[in-house]
Every structure is written in C-alpha cells, then in structure tokens.
Amino acid sequence: MTIPRATLIEVARAANTSKTSVSRFFGPERDKLSPTLKARIDTAARALGYQPNLMARGLKGGGTRLLGMLVADIRNPFSVAAVHGVEQAARTRGYSLIVCNTGNDPAQEQRHLALLSAYQVEGLVVNAVGAPNQVLDSLTQTDVPVVLLDREIPSVSSAVVGLDNALAIDTALDHLVARGYRQVLYVTNDPATASARRERLERFIDQSAKRQLTAHVQSSLDPARLYPALKALKTPPAPTAVLCANGTATLSAVQGFQALGITLGAVGLMGIDELDWCALVGPGITTLAQPFDAIGEAAIARLLAPFGTRITDRHAPHLLARGSTIHPDFPLF
C-alpha cells in the first residue's frame, strides 16, 4: 500500500500557520520567519515526513535550491575529494548538489549537461572532459552561472577554480633540488586531454631548465611505456627523482617501483595530490596536497557571486615531505 505524500497545506495545519509561511520556510525567504515559527514548521514537517517539490518550486520561479556538478571521472581520487569540498560548501548555503559522472566520455558529458539544465539547477560546477561547447555555451548565454573546476575551456569565459599549477610545479622542483636531486622524470597522463596537465607539463619543462636540471617526460601510464623509463633510473648518472602530475600517475609510478625493485629515496618519488595510502608506502611518499575544502568553498562562492565578480581563483598546495625524497647520499640533518 502506497502512503500518500504529505502536502504543504497539511504541514501548515500541523504547525498552526499559513501555507505562505511554510513555503517561505522551504525557500530562500526563510530568514523572514521568527525562530519560534521556524521551529514549529520544522517539527511539523519532520513528523509528517514532508519533502518539498523542488521542481514545482523551480517552475513557479521560486528557485530549486539545486546546484549541479559534472566530474570527468568519479573513480579518480581528485574527483571524490573535489565533490566533497563542493558539496560541503553548497550545503552550508542551503543548496543541494546533483553530481553527474561523465566517465571521460564527451557524449555522456553533453547528455548530463542537458539533463542538469532540464532540472533547472541554479548553477553548475564543471570538471570538463574536453570542450563541451554546444550545451555549455548555450547555458552560459542564460542566467545559469557556471564555474569551471581545475580545467579551462577556451570558448567559455567562466571563472576557473583549482590548484595553482605553476606554484605546484615550482614547489615540487624546489623541494627536489633542496633534497639533492639533479635529474627529474616527469610522469603524466596524456596532456592533450586536460588543460591542467598541459599547464603543469609546460611549467615543468620551463622551470627545470631554469634550475639546470636534466629533465625527461613520460606522457603515458601504460606499463609497457612507463616501466622502461623507470628502469633506466636504477643506475642514473646523477641523483634522480620522479615527479608525478597527479594521483593516478603516482599510483602507476609506485606500482612500477615495486615491480622493478627500485628503492624509494635512492630514486626519489613525489606526487601532486595527496592520497590516503601515500603515508603508508615504504618510508612514505612526498606529495603536494590540494586544499579541497578551500577549493570547494571558492567554487560555490564564485558560482553564487553577483555577475561580473566570478574571477579565476587558484589555490596553493601544501607540501607533505616524507621519506621518498630523502636520498641515501644526501641525508637530512
């Protein structure tokens, strides 16, 4: 037997108030109600199991209090941490978050963007697969604000919130130089598919030269290509480190170190993005942690800011130095 949904009128009767007051309680005008009245409505709604019809409210022009978030790969630790940060920031402002995973599929990205538009979300945080121009461009021509997370899209003028990629590379290279490493292998996924990867790679090449480091690049995580590049580091001409562009690259490099019997430290290892297991592998893996709570807060703040103030907002990483970047010939004192 199906139990009928409680109605707004029933909540109003139970709270001994008007339908208008109940509507305000579940909308953006909640602050207009007295604390006593808000408490009565909340008690009545909970007792009746009342849930507001957000879609109906949106159709009436009252706002759905829904925000959308599009992530390229929900399995990626970056996506998990980013969603958590954005959801927390949205919740503190009274918004709910709809999260869609594209699985790095541009066609699925287009479908999800259209779906989120149909749900009348009041803003979008987009971690793009590539350049979803058609639907996203049409959204930016409406009053739906869009903030890009981590990855830029040339045709979209929305604010970009994420890690300061240049500072991350500079911090990593400065740390490796200070620890005595003079040759660095940079490991990354295909840089052609994401602007953040391209920014980090370009900065690495530029800043390695300025620091007079011998630099190499491995732009595939396929073991058939990655492992030979790592194997060459077992007897390097100079103290050598591996710098990983993100968490997935760090995981692939660690698997390669273990498969090839490479000692952490003798060949340094450092990754951009802190992962839960990095402190547990060998002497610990040195990482640059992204401040995801601050990034999520900034994304929502930019999303809900008045038009014209949605500026790009880059955040500094936090260095977590561990044993993987302590060379046995250059002990720390």
Side-chain angles (χ1 to χ4, degrees):
M1 178 179 178
T2 301
I3 301 176
R5 289 168 57 100
T7 67
L8 187 144
I9 294 176
E10 289 172 333
V11 174
R13 289 173 179 168
N16 192 28
T17 188
S18 68
K19 178 180 175 182
T20 300
S21 294
V22 176
S23 182
R24 284 179 174 173
F25 178 83
F26 288 102
E29 297 183 320
R30 178 182 295 197
D31 291 342
K32 293 183 178 181
L33 305 177
S34 70
T36 301
L37 181 54
K38 285 190 287 188
R40 290 210 317 266
I41 295 173
D42 183 59
T43 300
R46 291 177 182 275
L48 293 170
Y50 174 76
Q51 293 293 331
N53 188 329
L54 296 178
M55 289 303 298
R57 183 194 301 164
L59 291 171
K60 293 176 182 177
T64 61
R65 307 295 288 179
L66 294 175
L67 299 176
M69 184 172 182
L70 209 63
V71 295
D73 183 2
I74 197 66
R75 298 169 299 179
N76 190 314
F78 167 87
S79 297
V80 175
V83 167
H84 181 263
V86 171
E87 193 279 330
Q88 278 191 312
R91 180 159 29 94
T92 60
R93 290 169 171 79
Y95 286 83
S96 296
L97 188 68
I98 300 176
V99 179
C100 293
N101 172 45
T102 66
N104 286 310
D105 180 356
Q108 183 71 352
E109 186 171 61
Q110 294 286 329
R111 288 191 289 270
H112 280 323
L113 281 169
L115 176 66
L116 290 170
S117 178
Y119 270 96
Q120 298 189 335
V121 293
E122 297 184 41
L124 274 172
V125 178
V126 179
N127 174 233
V129 172
N133 296 331
Q134 296 178 353
V135 180
L136 191 56
D137 282 353
S138 65
L139 282 172
T140 57
Q141 300 304 314
T142 68
D143 59 354
V144 177
V146 175
V147 167
L148 301 178
L149 180 67
D150 187 55
R151 301 175 178 181
E152 297 185 25
I153 302 174
S155 64
V156 178
S157 60
S158 300
V160 181
V161 177
L163 185 69
D164 186 329
N165 294 309
L167 180 58
I169 293 297
D170 292 355
T171 301
L173 292 179
D174 287 344
H175 174 77
L176 293 175
V177 168
R179 290 290 176 92
Y181 297 99
R182 294 295 177 264
Q183 181 172 237
V184 181
L185 171 65
Y186 187 73
V187 177
T188 180
N189 320 60
D190 182 2
T193 59
S195 65
R197 295 177 194 167
R198 292 192 296 273
E199 289 177 18
R200 294 175 192 177
L201 176 57
E202 291 168 3
R203 186 73 176 186
F204 169 78
I205 294 171
D206 177 69
Q207 294 299 308
S208 294
K210 289 184 177 180
R211 290 166 174 78
Q212 298 182 324
L213 294 169
T214 301
H216 306 278
V217 175
Q218 173 57 49
S219 58
S220 172
L221 304 186
D222 182 350
R225 295 180 59 184
L226 176 59
Y227 286 15
L230 294 176
K231 188 175 182 179
L233 304 179
K234 295 185 72 173
T235 55
T240 302
V242 176
L243 175 58
C244 300
N246 53 42
T248 54
T250 302
L251 176 59
S252 295
V254 169
Q255 292 170 335
F257 271 53
Q258 293 178 343
L260 298 169
I262 299 175
T263 303
L264 286 169
V267 174
L269 180 62
M270 183 173 184
I272 297 176
D273 286 348
E274 166 71 358
L275 305 171
D276 290 341
W277 49 267
C278 284
L280 307 176
V281 176
I285 298 171
T286 295
T287 62
L288 290 174
Q290 296 203 41
F292 283 109
D293 287 348
I295 289 173
E297 176 66 28
I300 295 301
R302 297 288 176 265
L303 198 66
L304 301 179
F307 182 77
T309 60
R310 301 181 191 119
I311 60 174
T312 295
D313 194 343
R314 295 293 191 178
H315 294 256
H318 175 59
L319 174 63
L320 297 172
R322 300 187 178 106
S324 69
T325 52
I326 299 177
H327 194 283
D329 295 337
F330 301 94
L332 299 178
F333 298 99

